[in-house]
Amino acid sequence: WLVLHDLDAPEAVDQLREALALRQRWLSDDDRLVQVSRNNLARNLARHGRFSEAKALYERALEALGSDPCEVGMAVHNNLASLAMAQERPEVALVELKNAERLAELSLGEHHPRRGELLQNLAFVTEQLGDLQTAEAHYRMALALMQAAWGLEDPRTRECQQTLAAFLADHQR
């Protein structure tokens, strides 16, 4: 298996394609590890503006995963949301993040900190769409989940705390 230090580097595309091809040869095309490879390749392509290629890979991964809630599906939906935001389509991003958050709750549990990270993303998109009350609730829940799991000293928790503080300062009534 290929191990890459920077999956987002433009030069990683060939290696990511090779990793996908190897996994497809050794595993069934519907295997979760194949979907991880599809997701990694799609993420790289999206970061470099190759949106249609990325979207096709994400959609194929979701098709292969079916309705089974899992972390891979959660990651794919989260990355589809990032793709939508890069294309300035926040309404689509909102739908994808809701799907990702739902899968996180089902596959990881209600109190998992990765769900908090998704809620923070969801809060940002919700804020962009002007639903400030819902955005604040998402930011607060994200912070609570991260704080409970990682503590206040964790950089991810501190970042969430700072984001919530900035949100509140920007939107004080």
Coordinates of all heavy atoms in Angstrom, one line a residue, residues 77-160:
H77 N -19.3 12.6 2.5 CA -20.3 13.7 2.5 C -19.7 15.0 3.0 O -20.0 16.0 2.4 CB -21.5 13.3 3.5 CG -22.5 12.4 2.8 ND1 -23.3 12.8 1.8 CD2 -22.8 11.1 3.1 CE1 -24.1 11.8 1.4 NE2 -23.8 10.8 2.2
N78 N -18.8 14.9 4.0 CA -18.1 16.1 4.4 C -17.2 16.7 3.3 O -17.2 17.9 3.1 CB -17.2 15.8 5.6 CG -16.6 17.0 6.2 OD1 -17.2 18.0 6.5 ND2 -15.2 17.0 6.4
N79 N -16.6 15.8 2.5 CA -15.8 16.3 1.4 C -16.6 16.9 0.2 O -16.2 17.8 -0.4 CB -14.8 15.2 0.9 CG -13.7 15.0 1.9 OD1 -13.4 15.8 2.7 ND2 -13.1 13.8 1.9
L80 N -17.8 16.3 0.1 CA -18.7 16.8 -0.9 C -19.2 18.2 -0.5 O -19.4 19.1 -1.4 CB -19.9 15.9 -1.1 CG -19.8 14.8 -2.1 CD1 -20.9 13.7 -2.0 CD2 -19.7 15.3 -3.6
A81 N -19.3 18.4 0.8 CA -19.7 19.7 1.3 C -18.6 20.7 1.0 O -18.8 21.9 0.6 CB -20.0 19.7 2.8
S82 N -17.3 20.3 1.2 CA -16.2 21.2 0.9 C -16.2 21.5 -0.6 O -15.9 22.7 -1.0 CB -14.9 20.5 1.3 OG -14.8 20.4 2.7
L83 N -16.5 20.5 -1.4 CA -16.5 20.7 -2.9 C -17.6 21.8 -3.2 O -17.4 22.7 -4.0 CB -16.8 19.4 -3.6 CG -16.9 19.4 -5.1 CD1 -15.5 19.8 -5.7 CD2 -17.4 18.1 -5.6
A84 N -18.7 21.6 -2.6 CA -19.8 22.6 -2.9 C -19.5 24.0 -2.4 O -19.8 24.9 -3.1 CB -21.1 22.1 -2.1
M85 N -18.8 24.1 -1.3 CA -18.4 25.4 -0.8 C -17.4 26.0 -1.8 O -17.4 27.2 -2.1 CB -17.9 25.4 0.6 CG -18.9 25.1 1.7 SD -20.2 26.4 1.7 CE -19.3 27.8 2.4
A86 N -16.5 25.2 -2.3 CA -15.5 25.7 -3.3 C -16.1 26.2 -4.5 O -15.6 27.1 -5.2 CB -14.5 24.6 -3.6
Q87 N -17.3 25.6 -4.8 CA -18.1 26.0 -6.0 C -19.1 27.1 -5.7 O -20.0 27.4 -6.5 CB -18.7 24.8 -6.6 CG -17.7 23.8 -7.2 CD -18.4 22.6 -7.7 OE1 -19.2 21.9 -7.1 NE2 -18.1 22.3 -9.0
E88 N -19.0 27.6 -4.5 CA -20.0 28.7 -4.0 C -21.4 28.2 -4.0 O -22.3 28.9 -4.5 CB -19.7 30.0 -4.7 CG -18.3 30.5 -4.5 CD -18.1 31.8 -5.3 OE1 -19.0 32.4 -5.8 OE2 -16.9 32.2 -5.3
R89 N -21.6 27.0 -3.5 CA -23.0 26.4 -3.5 C -23.3 26.0 -2.0 O -23.3 24.8 -1.7 CB -23.0 25.2 -4.4 CG -22.8 25.6 -5.9 CD -22.7 24.4 -6.8 NE -23.9 23.7 -6.8 CZ -24.0 22.4 -7.1 NH1 -23.0 21.7 -7.4 NH2 -25.2 21.8 -7.1
P90 N -23.4 27.0 -1.1 CA -23.6 26.7 0.3 C -24.9 25.8 0.6 O -24.9 25.1 1.6 CB -23.7 28.0 1.0 CG -24.0 29.0 -0.1 CD -23.5 28.4 -1.4
E91 N -25.9 26.0 -0.2 CA -27.1 25.2 0.0 C -26.9 23.7 -0.1 O -27.4 22.9 0.6 CB -28.3 25.6 -0.9 CG -28.8 27.0 -0.7 CD -27.9 28.1 -1.5 OE1 -27.0 27.7 -2.3 OE2 -28.2 29.3 -1.3
V92 N -26.0 23.3 -1.2 CA -25.7 22.0 -1.4 C -24.7 21.5 -0.2 O -24.9 20.4 0.3 CB -25.0 21.8 -2.8 CG1 -24.4 20.4 -2.9 CG2 -25.9 22.1 -3.9
A93 N -23.8 22.4 0.2 CA -22.9 22.0 1.3 C -23.7 21.7 2.5 O -23.4 20.8 3.3 CB -21.9 23.2 1.5
L94 N -24.8 22.5 2.8 CA -25.6 22.3 4.0 C -26.2 20.9 4.0 O -26.2 20.2 5.0 CB -26.7 23.3 4.0 CG -27.6 23.3 5.3 CD1 -26.8 23.6 6.5 CD2 -28.8 24.3 5.1
V95 N -26.7 20.5 2.8 CA -27.3 19.1 2.7 C -26.3 18.1 3.0 O -26.5 17.1 3.7 CB -28.0 19.0 1.3 CG1 -28.4 17.5 1.1 CG2 -29.2 19.9 1.2
E96 N -25.1 18.2 2.4 CA -24.1 17.2 2.5 C -23.6 17.2 4.0 O -23.3 16.1 4.5 CB -22.9 17.5 1.6 CG -23.2 17.3 0.1 CD -23.7 15.9 -0.3 OE1 -23.4 15.0 0.4 OE2 -24.3 15.8 -1.4
L97 N -23.4 18.3 4.6 CA -23.0 18.3 6.0 C -24.0 17.7 6.9 O -23.7 17.0 7.9 CB -22.6 19.7 6.5 CG -21.3 20.2 5.9 CD1 -21.1 21.7 6.2 CD2 -20.1 19.4 6.6
K98 N -25.3 17.9 6.6 CA -26.3 17.2 7.4 C -26.3 15.7 7.3 O -26.4 15.0 8.2 CB -27.7 17.8 7.0 CG -28.0 19.2 7.6 CD -29.4 19.6 7.2 CE -29.7 21.0 7.7 NZ -31.0 21.5 7.4
N99 N -26.0 15.3 6.1 CA -25.8 13.8 5.8 C -24.6 13.3 6.6 O -24.6 12.2 7.2 CB -25.7 13.5 4.3 CG -27.0 13.7 3.6 OD1 -28.0 13.5 4.1 ND2 -26.9 14.0 2.3
A100 N -23.5 14.1 6.5 CA -22.3 13.6 7.2 C -22.5 13.6 8.7 O -22.1 12.6 9.4 CB -21.1 14.6 6.9
E101 N -23.1 14.6 9.3 CA -23.4 14.6 10.7 C -24.3 13.5 11.1 O -24.1 12.9 12.2 CB -24.0 16.0 11.1 CG -24.0 16.3 12.6 CD -25.2 15.8 13.3 OE1 -26.3 15.7 12.7 OE2 -25.0 15.4 14.5
R102 N -25.3 13.2 10.3 CA -26.2 12.1 10.6 C -25.5 10.8 10.7 O -25.6 9.9 11.6 CB -27.4 12.0 9.6 CG -28.4 10.9 9.8 CD -29.4 10.8 8.7 NE -28.8 10.8 7.3 CZ -28.4 9.7 6.8 NH1 -28.4 8.5 7.4 NH2 -27.9 9.7 5.5
L103 N -24.6 10.6 9.7 CA -23.8 9.3 9.6 C -22.8 9.3 10.8 O -22.6 8.2 11.3 CB -23.0 9.2 8.3 CG -23.9 8.9 7.1 CD1 -23.0 8.9 5.8 CD2 -24.6 7.6 7.2
A104 N -22.3 10.4 11.2 CA -21.4 10.4 12.4 C -22.1 10.0 13.6 O -21.6 9.2 14.4 CB -20.8 11.8 12.5
E105 N -23.3 10.5 13.8 CA -24.1 10.1 15.0 C -24.4 8.6 15.0 O -24.3 8.0 16.0 CB -25.4 11.0 15.1 CG -26.1 10.8 16.3 CD -27.3 11.7 16.5 OE1 -27.5 12.6 15.7 OE2 -28.0 11.5 17.5
L106 N -24.8 8.1 13.8 CA -25.1 6.7 13.7 C -23.9 5.8 13.8 O -24.0 4.7 14.4 CB -25.8 6.4 12.3 CG -27.2 7.0 12.2 CD1 -27.7 6.8 10.7 CD2 -28.2 6.4 13.1
S107 N -22.8 6.2 13.2 CA -21.6 5.3 13.2 C -20.7 5.5 14.4 O -20.1 4.5 14.8 CB -20.9 5.4 11.9 OG -20.3 6.7 11.7
L108 N -20.6 6.7 14.9 CA -19.7 7.0 16.0 C -20.3 7.2 17.3 O -19.7 7.1 18.3 CB -18.8 8.2 15.6 CG -18.0 8.1 14.3 CD1 -17.4 9.5 14.0 CD2 -16.9 7.1 14.5
G109 N -21.6 7.6 17.3 CA -22.3 7.9 18.5 C -22.5 9.4 18.7 O -21.8 10.2 18.1
E110 N -23.5 9.7 19.5 CA -24.0 11.0 19.7 C -22.9 12.0 20.3 O -22.9 13.2 20.0 CB -25.2 11.0 20.6 CG -25.9 12.3 20.8 CD -27.1 12.2 21.6 OE1 -27.7 11.1 21.8 OE2 -27.6 13.3 22.1
H111 N -22.0 11.4 21.1 CA -21.1 12.2 21.8 C -19.7 12.2 21.3 O -18.7 12.7 22.0 CB -21.1 11.8 23.3 CG -22.5 12.0 23.9 ND1 -23.1 13.2 24.2 CD2 -23.4 11.0 24.3 CE1 -24.3 13.0 24.7 NE2 -24.5 11.7 24.7
H112 N -19.5 11.7 20.1 CA -18.1 11.6 19.6 C -17.6 12.9 19.1 O -18.3 13.7 18.5 CB -18.2 10.6 18.4 CG -16.8 10.1 18.0 ND1 -15.9 10.8 17.3 CD2 -16.2 8.9 18.3 CE1 -14.8 10.1 17.1 NE2 -15.0 9.0 17.7
P113 N -16.3 13.2 19.4 CA -15.8 14.5 19.0 C -15.7 14.8 17.5 O -15.8 16.0 17.1 CB -14.4 14.5 19.6 CG -14.1 13.1 19.8 CD -15.4 12.4 20.1
R114 N -15.7 13.8 16.7 CA -15.7 14.0 15.2 C -17.0 14.5 14.8 O -17.1 15.3 13.9 CB -15.4 12.7 14.5 CG -14.0 12.2 14.7 CD -13.1 11.8 13.6 NE -13.5 12.1 12.3 CZ -13.5 11.2 11.3 NH1 -13.4 9.9 11.5 NH2 -13.8 11.6 10.0
R115 N -18.1 14.2 15.5 CA -19.4 14.8 15.3 C -19.3 16.3 15.6 O -19.9 17.1 14.9 CB -20.4 14.1 16.1 CG -21.8 14.6 15.8 CD -22.9 13.8 16.5 NE -24.2 14.5 16.4 CZ -24.8 15.1 17.4 NH1 -24.3 15.0 18.6 NH2 -25.9 15.8 17.2
G116 N -18.6 16.6 16.6 CA -18.4 18.0 17.0 C -17.7 18.8 15.8 O -18.1 19.9 15.5
E117 N -16.7 18.2 15.2 CA -16.0 18.8 14.1 C -17.0 19.0 12.9 O -17.0 20.1 12.3 CB -14.8 18.0 13.6 CG -13.7 17.9 14.6 CD -12.6 17.0 14.2 OE1 -12.9 15.8 13.8 OE2 -11.4 17.4 14.3
L118 N -17.8 18.1 12.7 CA -18.8 18.2 11.6 C -19.9 19.3 12.0 O -20.3 20.1 11.1 CB -19.5 16.9 11.3 CG -18.7 15.9 10.7 CD1 -19.4 14.5 10.7 CD2 -18.3 16.3 9.2
L119 N -20.2 19.4 13.2 CA -21.2 20.4 13.7 C -20.6 21.8 13.5 O -21.3 22.7 13.2 CB -21.6 20.2 15.1 CG -22.6 19.1 15.3 CD1 -22.8 18.7 16.8 CD2 -24.0 19.5 14.7
Q120 N -19.3 21.9 13.8 CA -18.6 23.2 13.6 C -18.6 23.6 12.1 O -18.9 24.7 11.8 CB -17.1 23.1 14.0 CG -16.4 24.4 14.0 CD -15.0 24.3 14.6 OE1 -14.6 23.3 15.0 NE2 -14.4 25.5 14.6
N121 N -18.4 22.6 11.2 CA -18.5 22.9 9.7 C -20.0 23.3 9.4 O -20.2 24.2 8.6 CB -18.1 21.6 8.9 CG -16.7 21.3 9.0 OD1 -15.9 22.1 9.5 ND2 -16.3 20.1 8.7
L122 N -20.9 22.5 9.9 CA -22.3 22.8 9.7 C -22.7 24.2 10.2 O -23.4 24.9 9.6 CB -23.2 21.7 10.4 CG -24.7 21.7 10.1 CD1 -25.0 21.6 8.6 CD2 -25.3 20.5 10.9
A123 N -22.2 24.6 11.4 CA -22.4 25.9 11.9 C -21.9 27.0 11.0 O -22.6 28.0 10.7 CB -21.8 26.1 13.3
F124 N -20.7 26.8 10.4 CA -20.1 27.8 9.5 C -21.0 28.0 8.3 O -21.3 29.1 7.9 CB -18.7 27.4 9.1 CG -18.1 28.3 8.0 CD1 -17.6 29.5 8.4 CD2 -18.1 27.9 6.7 CE1 -17.1 30.3 7.4 CE2 -17.6 28.7 5.7 CZ -17.1 30.0 6.1
V125 N -21.5 26.9 7.7 CA -22.3 27.0 6.5 C -23.6 27.6 6.8 O -24.2 28.4 6.1 CB -22.4 25.6 5.8 CG1 -23.5 25.6 4.7 CG2 -21.1 25.1 5.3
T126 N -24.2 27.2 8.0 CA -25.5 27.7 8.4 C -25.4 29.2 8.6 O -26.3 30.0 8.2 CB -26.0 27.0 9.7 OG1 -26.0 25.6 9.4 CG2 -27.3 27.5 10.1
E127 N -24.3 29.6 9.2 CA -24.0 31.1 9.4 C -23.9 31.8 8.0 O -24.5 32.9 7.9 CB -22.7 31.3 10.2 CG -22.3 32.7 10.4 CD -21.0 32.9 11.1 OE1 -20.3 31.9 11.4 OE2 -20.6 34.0 11.3
Q128 N -23.2 31.2 7.1 CA -23.1 31.8 5.8 C -24.5 32.0 5.1 O -24.7 32.9 4.3 CB -22.2 30.9 4.9 CG -20.8 30.8 5.3 CD -20.1 32.1 5.4 OE1 -20.0 32.8 4.4 NE2 -19.6 32.5 6.5
L129 N -25.4 31.1 5.4 CA -26.7 31.1 4.9 C -27.7 32.0 5.7 O -28.8 32.2 5.3 CB -27.3 29.7 4.7 CG -26.7 28.8 3.7 CD1 -27.1 27.4 3.8 CD2 -26.9 29.4 2.3
G130 N -27.2 32.6 6.8 CA -27.9 33.6 7.5 C -28.8 33.1 8.6 O -29.5 33.8 9.3
D131 N -28.7 31.8 8.9 CA -29.5 31.2 10.0 C -28.6 31.2 11.3 O -28.0 30.2 11.7 CB -29.9 29.8 9.7 CG -30.9 29.2 10.8 OD1 -31.1 29.8 11.8 OD2 -31.4 28.1 10.5
L132 N -28.6 32.4 11.9 CA -27.7 32.6 13.0 C -28.0 31.9 14.3 O -27.1 31.4 15.0 CB -27.6 34.1 13.3 CG -27.1 35.0 12.1 CD1 -27.0 36.5 12.5 CD2 -25.8 34.5 11.6
Q133 N -29.3 31.7 14.6 CA -29.7 31.0 15.7 C -29.3 29.5 15.7 O -28.7 29.0 16.6 CB -31.2 31.1 15.9 CG -31.7 30.5 17.2 CD -33.2 30.7 17.4 OE1 -33.9 31.3 16.5 NE2 -33.7 30.3 18.5
T134 N -29.5 28.9 14.5 CA -29.1 27.5 14.3 C -27.6 27.4 14.3 O -27.0 26.5 14.9 CB -29.7 26.9 13.0 OG1 -31.1 27.1 13.1 CG2 -29.3 25.5 12.8
A135 N -26.9 28.3 13.7 CA -25.4 28.3 13.7 C -24.9 28.4 15.1 O -24.0 27.6 15.4 CB -24.9 29.5 12.8
E136 N -25.4 29.3 15.9 CA -24.9 29.4 17.3 C -25.1 28.1 18.0 O -24.2 27.6 18.8 CB -25.6 30.5 18.0 CG -25.1 30.7 19.4 CD -25.8 31.8 20.2 OE1 -26.5 32.7 19.6 OE2 -25.7 31.9 21.4
A137 N -26.3 27.5 17.9 CA -26.6 26.2 18.5 C -25.6 25.1 18.1 O -25.1 24.3 18.9 CB -28.0 25.7 18.2
H138 N -25.3 25.1 16.8 CA -24.3 24.1 16.3 C -22.9 24.4 16.8 O -22.2 23.4 17.2 CB -24.2 24.1 14.8 CG -25.4 23.5 14.1 ND1 -26.1 22.4 14.5 CD2 -26.0 23.9 12.9 CE1 -27.1 22.1 13.7 NE2 -27.1 23.0 12.7
Y139 N -22.5 25.6 16.9 CA -21.2 26.0 17.4 C -21.1 25.6 18.9 O -20.1 25.0 19.3 CB -20.9 27.5 17.3 CG -20.4 28.0 16.0 CD1 -21.0 29.1 15.4 CD2 -19.3 27.4 15.4 CE1 -20.6 29.5 14.1 CE2 -18.8 27.9 14.1 CZ -19.5 28.9 13.5 OH -19.0 29.4 12.3
R140 N -22.1 25.8 19.7 CA -22.1 25.5 21.1 C -22.1 24.0 21.3 O -21.3 23.5 22.2 CB -23.3 26.1 21.8 CG -23.2 27.6 21.9 CD -24.4 28.2 22.8 NE -24.3 29.6 22.8 CZ -23.5 30.3 23.6 NH1 -22.7 29.7 24.4 NH2 -23.6 31.6 23.6
M141 N -22.8 23.2 20.5 CA -22.8 21.8 20.7 C -21.5 21.2 20.2 O -20.9 20.3 20.9 CB -23.9 21.1 19.8 CG -23.9 19.6 19.8 SD -24.1 18.9 21.5 CE -25.8 19.1 21.7
A142 N -20.9 21.8 19.2 CA -19.6 21.3 18.7 C -18.5 21.5 19.8 O -17.7 20.6 20.1 CB -19.1 22.1 17.5
L143 N -18.6 22.7 20.4 CA -17.6 23.0 21.5 C -17.8 22.1 22.7 O -16.8 21.5 23.3 CB -17.7 24.5 22.0 CG -16.8 24.9 23.1 CD1 -15.4 24.7 22.7 CD2 -17.1 26.3 23.5
A144 N -19.1 21.8 23.1 CA -19.3 20.9 24.2 C -18.8 19.5 23.9 O -18.2 18.9 24.8 CB -20.8 20.9 24.5
L145 N -19.0 19.0 22.7 CA -18.5 17.6 22.4 C -17.0 17.6 22.4 O -16.4 16.6 22.9 CB -19.1 17.2 21.0 CG -20.6 16.9 20.9 CD1 -21.0 16.7 19.5 CD2 -20.9 15.8 21.8
M146 N -16.4 18.6 21.8 CA -14.9 18.6 21.8 C -14.3 18.7 23.2 O -13.3 18.1 23.5 CB -14.4 19.7 20.8 CG -14.7 19.5 19.4 SD -14.1 20.9 18.5 CE -14.8 20.6 16.9
Q147 N -14.9 19.6 23.9 CA -14.4 19.8 25.3 C -14.5 18.6 26.1 O -13.6 18.2 26.9 CB -15.1 21.0 25.9 CG -14.6 21.4 27.3 CD -15.3 22.6 27.9 OE1 -16.0 23.3 27.2 NE2 -15.2 22.8 29.2
A148 N -15.7 17.9 26.0 CA -15.9 16.7 26.8 C -14.9 15.6 26.4 O -14.4 14.8 27.3 CB -17.3 16.2 26.6
A149 N -14.6 15.5 25.1 CA -13.7 14.4 24.7 C -12.2 14.8 24.8 O -11.4 13.9 25.1 CB -14.0 14.1 23.2
W150 N -11.9 16.0 24.4 CA -10.4 16.4 24.3 C -10.0 17.4 25.3 O -8.7 17.5 25.5 CB -10.2 17.0 22.9 CG -10.4 16.0 21.8 CD1 -10.2 14.7 21.8 CD2 -10.9 16.4 20.5 NE1 -10.5 14.2 20.5 CE2 -11.0 15.2 19.7 CE3 -11.3 17.5 19.9 CZ2 -11.4 15.1 18.4 CZ3 -11.8 17.5 18.6 CH2 -11.8 16.3 17.9
G151 N -10.9 18.0 26.0 CA -10.5 19.0 27.0 C -10.2 20.4 26.4 O -10.1 20.5 25.2
L152 N -10.1 21.4 27.2 CA -9.9 22.8 26.8 C -8.5 23.1 26.2 O -8.4 24.0 25.4 CB -10.2 23.7 27.9 CG -11.7 23.9 28.3 CD1 -11.8 24.8 29.5 CD2 -12.4 24.6 27.1
E153 N -7.6 22.2 26.5 CA -6.2 22.5 26.1 C -6.0 22.0 24.6 O -5.0 22.4 24.0 CB -5.2 21.9 27.0 CG -5.2 22.5 28.4 CD -5.1 24.0 28.4 OE1 -4.2 24.6 27.7 OE2 -5.9 24.7 29.0
D154 N -6.8 21.1 24.1 CA -6.6 20.6 22.8 C -6.8 21.7 21.8 O -7.7 22.5 21.9 CB -7.7 19.5 22.5 CG -7.4 18.8 21.2 OD1 -7.9 19.3 20.2 OD2 -6.7 17.8 21.2
P155 N -5.9 21.8 20.8 CA -6.0 22.9 19.8 C -7.3 22.9 19.0 O -7.8 24.0 18.7 CB -4.8 22.6 18.8 CG -4.0 21.5 19.5 CD -4.7 20.9 20.6
R156 N -7.9 21.7 18.8 CA -9.2 21.7 18.1 C -10.3 22.3 18.9 O -11.1 23.1 18.4 CB -9.5 20.3 17.7 CG -8.5 19.7 16.7 CD -8.6 18.2 16.6 NE -8.2 17.6 17.9 CZ -8.0 16.3 18.1 NH1 -8.2 15.4 17.1 NH2 -7.6 15.9 19.2
T157 N -10.2 22.0 20.2 CA -11.2 22.6 21.1 C -11.0 24.1 21.2 O -12.0 24.9 21.2 CB -11.1 22.0 22.5 OG1 -11.2 20.6 22.4 CG2 -12.2 22.5 23.4
R158 N -9.8 24.5 21.4 CA -9.5 26.0 21.4 C -9.9 26.7 20.2 O -10.5 27.8 20.3 CB -8.0 26.2 21.7 CG -7.6 26.0 23.2 CD -6.2 26.6 23.5 NE -5.2 26.2 22.5 CZ -4.3 25.3 22.7 NH1 -4.1 24.8 23.9 NH2 -3.4 25.0 21.7
E159 N -9.7 26.1 19.0 CA -10.1 26.7 17.8 C -11.6 26.9 17.7 O -12.1 27.9 17.3 CB -9.6 25.9 16.6 CG -10.0 26.5 15.2 CD -9.7 25.6 14.1 OE1 -8.8 24.8 14.1 OE2 -10.4 25.7 13.1
C160 N -12.3 25.9 18.1 CA -13.8 25.9 18.2 C -14.3 27.0 19.1 O -15.2 27.8 18.8 CB -14.4 24.6 18.5 SG -16.2 24.5 18.4

